[in-house]
Amino acid sequence: MRARYRATPLIATSLAAALLGSTPAGAFGGGGAGTRGGAEGNELTASAGQSRIKVTQESGPTGGKQGTVSSTDVNWEPPPCWYEPVFTPEQLKNFSENDGNGDVALRQGWIGSKLWTDHFKDEKDAPKYFGTPDSVKGYKNYNLGKDGYFWRGVSPDVTEVDDTSLCSRLMFWQDAGEIPNDPNAPTPKTLADYAYDKVKVPETEVELKPAAKSTVNLPTWVWLDKGTFQDVKVRAELPGTGLWAETTAKPVALHLEPGTKDAEVFPASGDCQINDDGSIGTPYTKGNADKIPPCGLRYLRATNGTPYQLSASVTWQISWEGSGGTGGDLPDGTFETTQDMNVQEIQSINR
């Protein structure tokens, strides 16, 4: 099963301690009124749970029923959080003094616009909120006139405050064109991992012969026409950084599980290879009723009112490439669907 993002707070330890007494943990990172920055729409946000990463599907099917692949490596996890540029000086000033208001308090771990305004005063006037260390400096007039961004931490799944050591820096400044020197700074691999979670693949409903009802001891042929499965490529870009990555999922095999131990699968592994044209197996033709299919199964016991659940799961080989000549492989993904299989007790049938 795909490992999910861990919940991570995006506020300093001392600030978290001050807020937990009156704020539900699930309130951090939410959206809503008062969270927009100075850009049009909702591209810029102060929400810790909303990333600015832009995701587009470059290739692959876009219609029909789809789902998200699950990693075959149960120990693999994408990064729980990272830092992103969120505001230019002008946008931060507008957010702090006009948009933020009190709504920021319960959603981002800030104490409304007063903290935003005061924290970004001249350095000598920067107050120490809740015991923040001397290393937390103020910024004169929001750094207006400078070229760059204020950065803050992002976690795709902020549900509880459980580890303030990750991405816990208060909002900080970075000159334009520079990536922070921080272990949790974004990389092309970060974007590749993020895109993995956005890969949508088609559901797997295989063609069967016989279609309506299988027969005990006679093979059921399984196949899919060519072009059913195609490579799916998803591109992720982080504005203001020059970072990008493209994650590609390539279908490589179909695995069959008959839904009962009283069955045989062909091949014996249950893994049917996907051909170069995207087809799987060989379509049934008249006269092949007693032959062993290259992809299929044989039920040894009839159903008694309750159909077997035939499971068909496709393995997707995942790779990526990104900015700066980076790239590599990610754990394979799988997506599974099931369909009813009724089996009758007739020993021979004219097909």
Side-chain angles (χ1 to χ4, degrees):
M1 183 175 179
R2 175 76 185 276
R4 305 304 301 172
Y5 290 96
R6 293 195 305 273
T8 305
L10 305 177
I11 52 179
T13 304
S14 55
L15 188 56
L19 289 171
L20 282 178
S22 59
T23 304
F28 290 95
T35 60
R36 291 184 299 105
E40 293 183 3
N42 291 320
E43 182 181 3
L44 294 181
T45 175
S47 171
Q50 184 173 342
S51 173
R52 291 186 63 215
I53 295 175
K54 178 183 177 183
V55 176
T56 54
Q57 182 170 321
E58 299 291 304
S59 64
T62 57
K65 295 181 179 180
Q66 296 180 318
T68 303
V69 293
S70 298
S71 173
T72 58
D73 183 354
V74 296
N75 296 316
W76 179 78
E77 290 185 357
C81 66
W82 56 87
Y83 292 107
E84 290 186 8
V86 59
F87 289 123
T88 64
E90 293 79 8
Q91 289 166 343
L92 179 58
K93 178 179 173 64
N94 182 60
F95 177 86
S96 176
E97 297 181 358
N98 300 309
D99 290 344
N101 300 321
D103 288 332
V104 182
L106 296 183
R107 293 185 169 89
Q108 277 64 252
W110 297 84
I111 310 300
S113 60
K114 185 176 188 300
L115 175 59
W116 286 84
T117 305
D118 288 352
H119 180 67
F120 295 96
K121 279 184 177 179
D122 207 332
E123 180 176 327
K124 63 183 177 63
D125 295 325
K128 293 180 176 61
Y129 286 96
F130 305 113
T132 52
D134 290 339
S135 59
V136 177
K137 303 295 184 182
Y139 298 95
K140 185 176 181 179
N141 198 22
Y142 307 99
N143 274 2
L144 288 174
K146 293 187 177 182
D147 187 12
Y149 289 92
F150 286 97
W151 290 56
R152 57 91 170 93
V154 170
S155 175
D157 186 17
V158 180
T159 56
E160 60 180 277
V161 177
D162 62 353
D163 186 354
T164 53
S165 67
L166 296 174
C167 303
S168 59
R169 295 175 63 181
L170 293 173
M171 191 172 289
F172 60 93
W173 173 260
Q174 194 71 39
D175 289 336
E178 295 183 0
I179 305 297
N181 182 19
D182 190 285
N184 291 309
T187 65
K189 176 66 162 47
T190 304
L191 301 186
D193 290 339
Y194 185 82
Y196 189 126
D197 195 49
K198 309 301 179 184
V199 171
K200 300 295 183 183
V201 297
E203 287 192 0
T204 311
E205 186 169 356
V206 294
E207 298 288 338
L208 304 170
K209 183 65 178 184
K213 185 175 289 188
S214 186
T215 304
V216 170
N217 293 327
L218 286 179
T220 296
W221 288 58
V222 175
W223 73 92
L224 281 171
D225 293 332
K226 64 182 180 179
T228 301
F229 290 101
Q230 308 169 29
D231 291 3
V232 178
K233 180 182 292 186
V234 174
R235 181 181 178 90
E237 303 174 80
L238 183 55
T241 65
L243 299 175
W244 63 269
E246 291 182 343
T247 297
T248 301
K250 178 181 179 180
V252 293
L254 169 74
H255 182 75
L256 299 175
E257 289 286 349
T260 174
K261 62 181 180 180
D262 296 317
E264 298 175 332
V265 290
F266 311 111
S269 64
D271 294 324
C272 302
Q273 296 301 307
I274 297 180
N275 304 318
D276 291 339
D277 63 0
S279 65
I280 297 175
T282 302
Y284 172 85
T285 57
K286 188 175 181 179
N288 285 343
D290 295 320
K291 295 181 180 179
I292 299 299
C295 178
L297 63 161
R298 174 162 51 199
Y299 287 100
L300 308 178
R301 186 183 298 272
T303 52
N304 293 313
T306 302
Y308 298 129
Q309 294 296 299
L310 170 62
S311 167
S313 59
V314 173
T315 297
W316 297 80
Q317 190 177 72
I318 313 293
S319 61
W320 70 279
E321 61 179 1
S323 50
T326 54
D329 295 323
L330 292 170
D332 288 349
T334 62
F335 187 73
E336 175 184 296
T337 54
T338 59
Q339 56 196 92
D340 291 346
M341 284 296 296
N342 291 294
V343 183
Q344 59 189 354
E345 271 289 7
I346 302 173
Q347 299 302 312
S348 61
I349 186 170
N350 183 12
R351 291 199 261 176

